Amino acid sequence: MIFESHAHYDDKAFDSDRDKLLKSMPENGVGYILNAGSSMKSISKTFSLMENYPFIYGAFGIHPSDTAKLNEENFKWLKNQFKASEKVVAVGEIGLDYYWDDPDRETQKIWFVRQLELAGVLNLPVIVHSREAAKDTLDTLRAQKAGQYGGVMHCFSYTKETARECLKMNFHIGIGGVVTFKNAQKLKEVAAYTPLDRILIETDCPYLAPVPFRGKRNTSAYLPNIAEEIAKVKGISYEEVIQKTAENALKLFKITI
Ligand code: NI
């Protein structure tokens, strides 16, 4: 049973065939999907996905690029959403994005810290989005003692050395479609280096489809292509990657059903 640890099925890219696609997931071997909320709108949509599909779970958080919209009133709304469903298993996606660099770094940092504090209060793991911001992300996670509740560095894009620091902090490494790209030597090295019991697999769909679907709309049905590449670089079986990454996710997100 495959555990998809990061998807965006609330995205408009799925508007034309969402129900048909999601209903086909169990026959594609996908047993669990964690839909990552990234804005207030996407959190509301994730609610209805969790209600309609037994295998969909949710993470609630405001993506760094959307933090300009946050204020005390909205943050209170965000906090209250966690009480509304037992299927909300993480805070995320939250973090720092210095690639788009919008809003300014100070605003991103303020709301990253506030949402990490919330994870501490709720005792939930975090899903961290970090792009071109390795040092500040690590410094913030350390200062907040994020290792106490743990989490995953989603769509990991840094070096083996940064992966080592994340692992030391009790974090998991989320590996997505990029690992299948020919020029992704750095991520293949990270996949080889990271112990299997600390890897989660993810698509970040509709983005970042793996080879041979690169450039097309991504879906969780392509997770086998990602797992196959991880198996190849680690020299282990495909089945082992599928089984162990699912166990890792169930444990991290404390899902018992
Ligand atoms: Ni995402």
Side-chain angles (χ1 to χ4, degrees):
M1 206 71 114
I2 297 169
F3 194 118
E4 157 73 283
S5 67
H6 196 109
H8 297 283
Y9 283 109
D10 52 284
D11 194 281
K12 60 179 183 317
F14 298 109
D15 280 355
S16 63
D17 60 348
R18 182 176 291 107
D19 186 54
K20 195 172 158 232
L21 183 67
L22 287 173
K23 280 189 177 140
S24 76
M25 284 305 155
E27 70 206 46
N28 281 308
V30 180
Y32 301 87
I33 293 174
L34 183 51
N35 204 70
S38 54
S39 65
M40 283 174 278
K41 202 171 146 198
S42 105
I43 287 170
S44 303
K45 285 185 175 177
T46 301
F47 258 118
S48 62
L49 289 171
M50 290 191 300
E51 267 170 31
N52 291 327
Y53 304 93
F55 51 87
I56 295 190
Y57 291 78
F60 288 174
I62 306 297
H63 187 283
S65 302
D66 248 53
T67 48
K69 294 182 192 131
L70 275 171
N71 53 37
E72 290 308 323
E73 195 188 330
N74 292 338
F75 191 66
K76 205 171 151 193
W77 175 88
L78 174 65
K79 278 201 259 184
N80 283 329
Q81 301 315 300
F82 287 87
K83 295 175 196 149
S85 170
E86 281 181 2
K87 291 177 87 182
V88 192
V89 294
V91 176
E93 58 184 88
I94 60 173
L96 300 172
D97 193 319
Y98 294 173
Y99 174 79
W100 293 110
D101 230 358
D102 178 41
D104 61 276
R105 296 179 181 188
E106 229 18 71
T107 304
Q108 292 190 38
K109 273 186 203 164
I110 288 168
W111 293 108
F112 184 29
V113 169
R114 291 290 296 277
Q115 294 184 89
L116 288 170
E117 286 168 356
L118 179 60
V121 171
L122 298 168
N123 193 28
L124 287 177
V126 287
I127 296 178
V128 176
H129 169 109
S130 176
R131 200 164 173 202
E132 295 188 10
K135 187 180 180 303
D136 281 5
T137 303
L138 287 172
D139 288 349
T140 309
L141 291 173
R142 280 194 201 103
Q144 292 301 312
K145 301 194 170 41
Q148 287 177 5
Y149 39 84
V152 55
M153 300 295 287
H154 127 76
C155 208
F156 193 83
S157 60
Y158 298 128
T159 60
K160 203 168 88 173
E161 288 67 36
T162 305
R164 181 190 301 136
E165 294 308 306
C166 297
L167 293 168
K168 266 194 221 161
M169 233 188 314
N170 190 29
F171 269 65
H172 290 65
I173 305 293
I175 295 181
V178 174
V179 77
T180 65
F181 298 177
K182 244 194 182 143
N183 58 356
Q185 208 43 49
K186 199 171 73 173
L187 187 57
K188 289 181 204 287
E189 270 175 40
V190 168
Y193 167 77
T194 305
L196 186 59
D197 65 0
R198 301 293 282 283
I199 293 178
L200 302 187
I201 55 172
E202 61 166 272
T203 59
D204 202 19
C205 64
Y207 314 106
L208 297 169
V211 171
F213 309 104
R214 192 172 177 179
K216 300 210 173 97
R217 183 185 73 170
N218 199 1
T219 86
S220 309
Y222 300 157
L223 281 164
N225 299 74
I226 296 167
E228 261 164 30
E229 184 64 30
I230 296 172
K232 200 170 115 189
V233 301
K234 291 189 99 57
I236 57 177
S237 75
Y238 166 80
E239 287 74 22
E240 203 180 346
V241 173
I242 294 294
Q243 197 196 328
K244 192 67 201 154
T245 54
E247 279 173 27
N248 298 341
L250 290 169
K251 197 172 155 200
L252 175 64
F253 301 118
K254 300 180 208 108
I255 296 172
T256 47
I257 344 154

